[in-house]
Amino acid sequence: MTQHSRDLSRRRLLFGGAAVGAATLLTACTSNETPAASTQTKAAGDSAGNNAPGKKVVIGFSAPAADHGWMGAIHANAKAQAAAYSDVEFKEVDGGSNSEAQRSTLGTLIAQKPDIIVVLPHDGKEVNAVALQAMQAGIPIVNLDRAFPDALASRLVIKGDNYGMGVSAGHFIGKQLKAKGIANPVIGEIAGLEIPLTVERSAGFAAALATYGFKVNNRRSAEFTSDSGQREAAQLLQALPKIDAVWNHDDDQGIGVLAAIKQANRSEFFMVGGAGSKLAIDAIKADNTVLKATVTYNPSMASSAVSLARLIAQGRGLGDLTELQVPKEVTLASETITKENASSYDKLGF
């Protein structure tokens, strides 16, 4: 695809493009420390002309503080992907520990007038107004992971398939229980923070389980951290003296969940994790804990967000698509990692 003229209107940059669902474009939670070297990037020069140098662009970036491994990988991947391009200047601002802090630093970034900004909000609803401010100022927003409620608040949304993540976990658990001949299973669920993406995950999980005639017997809410996972798992185990299966939404909090299970000396059930961390993948391969699978929600999406932001700011489309603009929405598929296929996912573990 040839590069478009550089004088494309701001309106096309801000609002152009069609939606793409359940696809991984450009690049398809974990230890509690940010991995230093294992970032997931796409090297320049390996796709249909999109990586050929274009006009110099400034990409702003804002995401919550890296308080767990998945978020740490988001920051590392975004920075490393920007560094892969000679035509990108990367400006990251501190997203802080809450929406108020993020709104403040985003306001400062907007005043600096970058060409485009990638934003993973603490909470889409609470940061929506600032994203709208940027769009109205002619600065396109790439909304990463946690969606803004207002469609006008972003040029592009790139996220994991939260509902599909729950569906994948539900089908794995449902099939395993049916194969075991368990008619009325006791199923536990350890969710993450009660934000929209978590609600979507639980809805997908419940819908998939229902196709087998199953339901969740006890649901707890953790906070995507190891400590909160251990706390909520301990309460779940105490509430349910017998369990057949558990879905834990996040591999970061899964570290604490597994610690609580070991402390309680429980092993009568199997567990599915969420995100696809290196620790989880290794545990699944070793097959020496209750963790038998995890469903992916990979922070490589930050790498893709930066790559797509670059193309939007340069007025370019995706080399393998016919359309002249980058799509309006990209949703990454959620895949199930088991002992049988875990080795194939080693490179995506974080």
Side-chain angles (χ1 to χ4, degrees):
M1 181 179 294
T2 59
Q3 181 173 338
H4 308 140
S5 60
R6 298 187 181 188
D7 62 346
L8 287 172
S9 68
R10 278 290 189 182
R11 180 172 180 81
R12 290 188 69 192
L13 290 179
L14 291 171
F15 301 109
V20 170
T24 305
L25 298 178
L26 294 176
T27 56
C29 283
T30 72
S31 77
N32 282 329
E33 296 181 0
T34 302
S38 59
T39 55
Q40 299 144 326
T41 65
K42 185 154 185 150
D46 58 357
S47 177
N50 281 158
N51 293 298
K55 74 170 183 177
K56 184 84 171 183
V57 294
V58 178
I59 299 177
F61 182 80
S62 173
D67 60 355
H68 60 289
W70 188 90
M71 193 63 75
I74 284 285
H75 283 266
N77 288 341
K79 186 178 297 185
Q81 189 65 36
Y85 299 116
S86 61
D87 52 14
V88 169
E89 180 183 347
F90 188 69
K91 285 190 175 182
E92 181 175 5
V93 294
D94 185 1
S97 60
N98 55 53
S99 295
E100 182 179 4
Q102 188 172 32
R103 288 195 299 265
S104 176
T105 55
L106 265 175
T108 301
L109 182 59
I110 292 168
Q112 296 174 12
K113 298 182 179 180
D115 294 289
I116 193 165
I117 302 175
V118 177
V119 182
L120 194 164
H122 278 276
D123 183 293
K125 185 177 181 180
E126 294 177 0
V127 184
N128 187 80
V130 182
L132 275 172
Q133 177 188 342
M135 291 286 287
Q136 290 163 0
I139 303 171
I141 292 290
V142 173
N143 183 189
L144 176 60
D145 186 39
R146 302 172 185 174
F148 297 121
D150 193 334
L152 297 179
S154 65
R155 161 60 180 83
L156 164 69
V157 178
I158 177 168
K159 60 183 181 177
D161 185 358
N162 288 290
Y163 187 87
M165 193 179 179
V167 169
S168 294
H171 280 310
F172 180 85
I173 287 174
K175 289 174 183 177
Q176 293 293 312
L177 293 174
K178 283 292 187 182
K180 294 174 184 284
I182 302 175
N184 296 295
V186 177
I187 300 173
E189 179 182 1
I190 303 175
L193 286 167
E194 288 298 339
I195 53 180
L197 66 83
T198 297
V199 175
E200 291 177 19
R201 291 178 184 182
S202 289
F205 187 50
L209 289 178
T211 66
Y212 301 89
F214 301 154
K215 65 179 181 179
V216 174
N217 299 89
N218 194 299
R219 181 182 183 276
R220 309 294 306 180
S221 294
E223 299 155 14
F224 299 135
T225 63
S226 177
D227 288 346
S228 66
Q230 185 166 2
R231 179 191 70 227
E232 297 304 324
Q235 294 186 29
L236 180 75
L237 295 168
Q238 186 175 12
L240 300 175
K242 180 184 179 301
I243 303 174
D244 294 296
V246 172
W247 181 37
N248 163 56
H249 285 208
D250 180 85
D251 288 337
D252 271 336
Q253 65 190 32
I255 297 169
V257 171
L258 287 172
I261 292 169
K262 183 177 181 180
Q263 187 174 23
N265 195 28
R266 298 279 293 272
S267 61
E268 79 277 8
F269 58 90
F270 67 92
M271 186 172 85
V272 176
S277 76
K278 184 66 166 62
L279 282 178
I281 293 171
D282 287 345
I284 291 165
K285 287 195 293 186
D287 196 21
N288 56 10
T289 73
V290 298
L291 183 63
K292 303 303 179 186
T294 189
V295 290
T296 61
Y297 196 83
N298 203 279
S300 63
M301 67 177 75
S303 301
S304 296
V306 168
S307 292
L308 292 168
R310 169 178 170 268
L311 293 179
I312 292 169
Q314 293 176 337
R316 299 158 70 179
L318 287 167
D320 291 331
L321 297 186
T322 304
E323 291 73 24
L324 301 180
Q325 292 287 305
V326 168
K328 185 75 167 67
E329 182 174 322
V330 176
T331 302
L332 309 181
S334 182
E335 304 164 66
T336 304
I337 301 175
T338 65
K339 183 179 179 180
E340 289 70 30
N341 66 9
S343 295
S344 300
Y345 289 88
D346 278 338
K347 64 182 180 180
L348 289 179
F350 55 93

